[in-house]
Amino acid sequence: MRILLTGARGFLGWHTRTRLHALGGHEIVAVDRDEWPDLATFATGVDAVIHLAGVNRGSDHDVEQGNPQLAQTLVDALRTSGATPQTVIYANSIHTGAATPYGHGKQSAADLLARAAVREGWGFVDVRLPNLFGEHGRPRYNSFVATFAHAVVNGET
C-alpha cells in the first residue's frame, strides 16, 4: 500500500514511519515542510493518507488558521494529483472544538476533511489523540511527561 504521510519528520511522524516500516508491505511517501510545496506530486497514486502535519505553536491567528490551511492544501493536492485514497486518516486532538485557537483550528480542519471525503468518495477517520509522549519527545514542547522526566533527570524542581 502506498501511504502519503504528512508531518513525517515530526514527533508523531517519526513514530508512525517506524511502525509502518516494521509492519512491512507499505511504501511510505514522507512529506514534511520542505516537500509541502510539491504535495500534489507526492500525492500521485497514493492508496491512503495519514495527515499528521499540524500547527500547535505560534500566534493565536497562526494556530487557529494553520490547521485548516494545511487540510485545504492536502485536499487540493489530492484533487490535483487525481489521487483517490481509500482512506484519509487525520491526527486530531482531544482538544478539538475547545474554546481556544488550537481547538477551533483542529475542529475546522476535521470538518473540512470530512466534507471533502464525502464529496470525493474517500473514507475518513478522525483520530482524536490525547497528550502524547515517548522517545524523541522534547522537554517543554511535546508533553508534560517529557518535561517532567527531563527535570527529574537533571535535578530540577
Side-chain angles (χ1 to χ4, degrees), residues 6-131:
T6 69
R9 286 193 262 310
F11 174 72
L12 189 53
W14 181 87
H15 285 276
T16 303
R17 277 184 303 132
T18 300
R19 179 65 178 150
L20 289 171
H21 179 74
L23 290 172
H26 302 292
E27 177 187 349
I28 302 157
V29 181
V31 174
D32 212 66
R33 287 182 181 110
D34 294 342
E35 297 86 15
W36 200 257
D38 299 316
L39 188 58
T41 301
F42 288 99
T44 302
V46 298
D47 302 303
V49 176
I50 302 175
H51 181 47
L52 307 179
V55 178
N56 62 1
R57 299 286 190 283
S59 71
D60 285 354
H61 178 268
D62 290 346
V63 170
E64 187 164 354
Q65 298 303 312
N67 289 298
Q69 288 170 352
L70 290 170
Q72 185 62 60
T73 302
L74 174 60
V75 168
D76 293 344
L78 291 169
R79 282 189 194 136
T80 298
S81 73
T84 55
Q86 297 170 21
T87 304
V88 174
I89 300 168
Y90 175 51
N92 203 339
S93 167
I94 59 171
H95 299 282
T96 191
T100 64
Y102 181 69
H104 290 302
K106 291 299 273 187
Q107 185 65 56
S108 295
D111 293 345
L112 189 153
L113 290 168
R115 285 191 307 270
V118 168
R119 189 174 54 248
E120 301 294 330
W122 311 325
F124 177 66
V125 179
D126 183 3
V127 181
R128 294 185 181 194
L129 301 167
N131 297 317

